[in-house]
């Protein structure tokens, strides 16, 4: 394979890996504090992307056309909206079911995901059609032989990296992060330390959902298009990534996200037939990994999460 | 009067259940401010359930719990901790994947001042020098005796008015059991009210000022520790 094509594949793999990692971290955080899987998480990403798009259109109506203003406002609106949505989901859908069987939470979040998808499809103006997403980032590129290193991709990767490092610092270096880790390890003892359990759960859902919104904006900027269904596959992939990494382990989720993207890329390059099979290939490998290591790569005992 | 003199715990006619059957059936007792009050009772008599009720982990169905002249029945644990109550839970319950220092830090979770927290960590290290050497070690990798130190140190980090201690000698070697009771005495000498749950009758009654005996969710005896040691109920609760 020539170097240019190889470079494109690597760049594409990194971009996808970053998005998957961001989604997977949410799944793993939710599971850490509450032992639940939020199957609406992918759709939170989608709603985040649409919130960003609507914010962009609103800014344009107001005559705000400078990317230096648009990008931060779009990001802030999408992440803030989803942070609030995540906290509301935790407060009114997930926490009330805390003592019910885990299947009930699974079912209710699945239904919520459908409601979010259908709401966008029905109520967003012409929501059933794919929507062009504006190219808000600088369009320049550095030509390296026949591989063009695009500025927008580099910016997105750097921003994603900054977000992941920020999550790491919050979890490991702040009082909030200490409380999240304590709740993940032993909820009752954490409560007897004086930690307000409900507050920690809401904040964790807010953080995870904001990360999904960030990934949603990345998705829009990368493909220049979004539609009401993008959350489905991204949700399943993010969930798979979190599982491969060892559910509850943040670093496992990040590794899982990049691993999944690597598998897709390898599938696209190595399979002799159409690259449409790359997902089949990646999921098949995930199934294989799960058969060999049922609790994921960085598996830990349930009592030792996050 | 100072806060410590006000740190009396009163439990009145408390009924607590997990599913249907009551575990506590009308428990009434008091832990007087500045004293060590113990609760004796055999396995399954409901001692831990009472501690859980006081801490707000399991909501009682009936009755009331008051601390420092204010009702705390039904409050969530973080609000109860805010009143000045801390615990050393049954089985130590250190956070296994957190370091010794992180465990201690969590004990002072509601303390806003970083400087105060640092001072209290320093006090804990002075009391347990081994913990200082192992401050960055994961608590789950330590021996039972060391985990007991972490749990005690953590319980004191909030500078509580009332400390609830649930079976501290469980699973410890005899020498450590004796040390544990000495530590409890010293904690109390600092003015902290202690409510101590134990099965170890003799040593507990030696250290405690007052005691109660719990049997099948009911208080069957209570009084001064030295008098209690001689009563029939204590023996019946264990052997009867
Ligand atoms: N989490 C729980 N769920 C249901 N029943 C419980 C739970 N914890 C304790 N019990 C029951 O309550 C009774 C009292 O238990 P406990 O308070 O732990 O006693 P003790 O601490 O005196 O040994 C026991 O019969 C026990 O089986
Ligand atoms: Mg017990």
């Amino acid at each position: 394979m020539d170097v240019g094509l190889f470079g494109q594949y690597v760049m594409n793999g990194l971009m996808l890996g970053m998005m998957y990692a961001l989604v997977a971290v949410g799944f793993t955080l939710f599971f850490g504090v509450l032992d639940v899987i939020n199957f609406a998480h992918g759709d939170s990403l989608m709603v985040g992307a649409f919130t960003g798009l609507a914010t962009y259109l609103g800014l344009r109506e107001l005559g705000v056309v400078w990317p230096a203003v648009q990008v931060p406002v779009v990001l802030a609106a999408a992440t803030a909206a989803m942070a609030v949505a995540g906290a509301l989901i935790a407060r009114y859908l997930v926490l009330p079911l805390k003592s019910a069987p885990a299947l009930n939470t699974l079912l209710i979040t699945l239904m919520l995901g459908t409601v979010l998808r259908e709401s966008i499809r029905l109520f967003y103006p012409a929501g059933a059609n794919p929507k062009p997403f504006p190219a808000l980032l600088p369009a320049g590129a550095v030509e390296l032989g026949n591989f063009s290193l695009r500025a927008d991709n580099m910016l997105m990767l750097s921003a994603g990296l900054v977000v992941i490092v920020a999550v790491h610092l919050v979890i490991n270096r702040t009082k909030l992060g200490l409380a999240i880790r304590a709740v993940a390890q032993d909820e009752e003892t954490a409560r007897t330390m004086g930690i307000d359990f409900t507050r920690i759960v809401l904040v964790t859902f807010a953080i995870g959902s904001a990360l999904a919104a960030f990934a949603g904006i990345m998705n829009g900027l990368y493909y220049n298009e979004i539609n009401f269904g993008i959350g489905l596959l991204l949700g399943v992939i993010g969930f798979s990534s979190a599982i491969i990494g060892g559910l509850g382990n943040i670093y496992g989720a990040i590794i899982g996200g990049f691993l999944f993207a690597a598998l897709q890329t390898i599938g696209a390059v190595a399979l002799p037939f159409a690259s449409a099979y790359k997902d089949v290939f990646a999921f098949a490998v995930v199934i294989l990994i799960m058969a060999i290591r049922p609790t994921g790569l960085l598996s830990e005992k349930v009592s030792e999460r996050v | 009067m100072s806060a410590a003199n006000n740190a009396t715990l009163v439990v009145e006619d408390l009924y607590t259940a997990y599913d249907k059957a009551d575990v506590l059936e009308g428990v009434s007792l008091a832990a007087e401010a500045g004293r060590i009050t113990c609760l004796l009772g055999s396995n399954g008599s409901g001692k831990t359930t009472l501690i859980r009720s006081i801490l707000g982990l399991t909501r009682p169905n009936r009755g009331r719990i008051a601390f420092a002249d204010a009702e705390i029945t039904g409050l969530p644990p973080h609000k109860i901790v805010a009143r000045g109550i801390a615990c050393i839970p049954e089985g130590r319950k250190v956070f296994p994947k957190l370091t010794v220092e992180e465990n201690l830090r969590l004990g002072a979770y509601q303390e806003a001042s970083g400087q105060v927290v640092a001072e209290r960590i320093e006090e804990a290290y002075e009391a347990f020098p081994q913990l200082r050497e192992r401050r960055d070690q994961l608590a789950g990798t330590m021996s039972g005796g060391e985990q007991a130190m972490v749990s005690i140190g953590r319980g004191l980090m909030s500078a509580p008015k009332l400390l609830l201690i649930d079976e501290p000698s469980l699973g410890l070697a005899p020498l450590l059991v004796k040390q544990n009771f000495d530590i409890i005495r010293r904690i109390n000498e600092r003015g902290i009210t202690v409510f101590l749950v134990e099965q170890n009758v003799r040593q507990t009654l030696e250290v405690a000022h007052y005691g109660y005996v719990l049997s099948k969710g009911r208080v069957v005896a209570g009084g001064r520790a030295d008098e209690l040691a001689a009563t029939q109920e204590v023996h019946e609760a264990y052997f009867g």
Side-chain angles (χ1 to χ4, degrees):
Chain A
M1 191 196 318
D2 83 359
V3 181
L5 195 57
F6 181 77
Q8 303 293 3
Y9 275 119
V10 170
M11 184 50 89
N12 186 53
L14 288 175
M15 290 297 301
L16 294 179
M18 188 61 82
M19 285 180 226
Y20 301 161
L22 290 167
V23 179
V25 166
F27 274 108
T28 227
L29 279 175
F30 302 159
F31 186 78
V33 291
L34 215 48
D35 286 10
V36 298
I37 304 301
N38 169 16
F39 272 113
H41 192 48
D43 297 294
S44 296
L45 176 153
M46 179 273 297
V47 176
F50 272 87
T51 307
L53 178 60
T55 307
Y56 163 78
L57 295 173
L59 284 176
R60 206 179 55 180
E61 286 299 305
L62 295 173
V64 178
V65 293
W66 315 283
V69 178
Q70 288 168 324
V71 174
V73 173
V74 162
L75 262 182
T79 51
M82 285 309 103
V84 171
L88 290 175
I89 290 170
R91 175 70 185 79
Y92 293 106
L93 291 180
V94 181
L95 275 176
L97 292 181
K98 188 165 177 290
S99 49
L103 273 177
N104 296 18
T105 307
L106 204 144
L107 184 65
I108 205 166
T109 56
L110 266 177
M111 292 192 297
L112 171 69
T114 308
V115 167
L116 292 176
R117 257 186 330 275
E118 290 302 306
S119 301
I120 292 290
R121 191 169 74 89
L122 296 172
F123 302 123
Y124 194 88
N129 301 325
K131 298 282 161 196
F133 200 91
L136 299 174
L137 299 176
V142 181
E143 300 298 328
L144 301 169
N146 55 356
F147 167 57
S148 66
L149 188 62
R150 294 173 49 157
D152 57 352
N153 289 359
M154 289 311 291
L155 269 172
M156 279 190 261
L157 277 184
S158 314
L161 198 63
V162 167
V163 168
I164 282 179
V165 170
V167 170
H168 162 82
L169 290 176
V170 166
I171 295 295
N172 288 300
R173 299 284 166 82
T174 67
K175 194 168 175 179
L176 171 66
L178 183 59
I180 290 175
R181 285 182 291 149
V183 166
Q185 283 179 42
D186 183 345
E187 177 203 319
E188 286 198 336
T189 306
R191 298 176 70 169
T192 63
M193 298 294 109
I195 293 171
D196 181 349
F197 171 73
T198 304
R199 182 178 157 266
I200 294 300
V201 169
L202 299 197
V203 171
T204 305
F205 270 69
I207 293 174
S209 304
L211 292 177
F214 186 91
I217 300 293
M218 265 184 88
N219 192 273
L221 289 172
Y222 189 56
Y223 291 113
N224 296 120
E225 182 183 291
I226 56 173
N227 68 69
F228 70 92
I230 54 171
L232 269 179
L233 188 59
L234 278 164
V236 173
I237 291 176
F239 178 49
S240 309
S241 305
I243 295 267
I244 324 174
L247 202 52
N249 185 308
I250 291 180
Y251 308 102
I254 295 166
I255 292 169
F258 282 99
L259 185 65
F260 195 95
L263 290 173
Q264 280 181 319
T265 309
I266 291 168
V269 176
L271 295 181
F273 31 86
S275 69
Y277 290 96
K278 67 184 197 305
D279 291 345
V280 178
F281 171 75
F283 279 117
V285 175
V286 168
I287 291 168
L288 201 66
I289 293 175
M290 293 322 295
I292 298 167
R293 294 206 50 146
T295 51
L297 294 175
L298 300 189
S299 61
E300 296 179 45
K301 284 191 210 118
V302 179
S303 62
E304 299 177 345
R305 286 188 315 260
V306 177
Chain B
M1 289 313 258
S2 76
N5 292 334
N6 193 21
T8 295
L9 173 77
V10 179
V11 174
E12 271 176 25
D13 198 28
L14 202 70
Y15 285 76
T16 304
Y18 290 101
D19 301 312
K20 289 216 176 73
D22 282 329
V23 173
L24 300 183
E25 302 183 14
V27 170
S28 298
L29 51 76
E32 197 186 315
R35 303 289 183 164
I36 300 177
T37 303
C38 71
L39 180 67
L40 299 166
S42 58
N43 245 335
S45 57
K47 303 182 300 297
T48 300
T49 303
L50 177 60
I51 298 259
R52 292 176 58 89
S53 306
I54 297 168
L55 285 168
L57 288 172
T58 305
R59 225 188 142 103
N61 294 329
R62 241 175 77 190
R64 69 186 271 284
I65 306 166
F67 176 63
D69 300 326
E71 177 144 1
I72 58 169
T73 328
L75 291 181
H78 67 275
K79 295 208 171 135
I80 290 173
V81 171
R83 302 290 176 95
I85 299 180
C87 78
I88 300 172
E90 185 177 50
R92 341 252 182 264
K93 299 280 171 62
V94 299
F95 296 98
K97 286 281 258 178
L98 300 184
T99 65
V100 168
E101 188 150 321
E102 285 172 331
N103 267 278
L104 293 177
R105 209 167 272 289
L106 278 166
Y109 183 76
Q110 294 191 348
E111 175 55 61
S113 155
Q115 198 195 328
V116 171
V117 174
E119 282 166 16
R120 297 210 185 124
I121 288 178
E122 192 53 37
E123 280 172 34
Y125 288 156
E126 268 157 33
F128 304 108
Q130 280 146 286
L131 295 187
R132 189 197 303 275
E133 294 160 28
R134 297 170 173 238
R135 60 204 297 169
D136 295 322
Q137 187 173 333
L138 296 184
T141 64
M142 305 176 86
S143 72
E146 289 162 342
Q147 292 192 14
M149 293 177 203
V150 175
S151 189
I152 295 168
R154 188 182 65 182
L156 292 170
M157 282 293 295
S158 61
K161 297 178 200 162
L162 167 67
L163 189 59
L164 310 171
I165 312 179
D166 194 351
E167 298 213 35
S169 54
L170 197 71
L172 288 185
L175 184 70
L176 291 178
V177 171
K178 180 162 183 324
Q179 277 179 16
N180 238 301
F181 281 104
D182 290 342
I183 290 167
I184 291 166
R185 200 192 307 268
R186 283 209 301 276
I187 289 172
N188 175 245
E189 280 164 9
R190 288 164 53 178
I192 298 173
T193 308
V194 172
F195 185 65
L196 171 64
V197 161
E198 260 296 352
Q199 294 200 48
N200 188 328
V201 180
R202 196 180 52 79
Q203 297 189 74
T204 304
L205 288 176
E206 266 170 32
V207 75
H209 302 103
Y210 299 102
Y212 293 90
V213 179
L214 193 67
S215 175
K216 301 197 185 85
R218 295 169 194 267
V219 172
V220 294
R224 277 175 45 184
D226 48 0
E227 291 171 5
L228 204 57
T231 63
Q232 190 64 20
E233 282 81 359
V234 173
H235 298 277
E236 275 173 5
Y238 285 93
F239 312 110

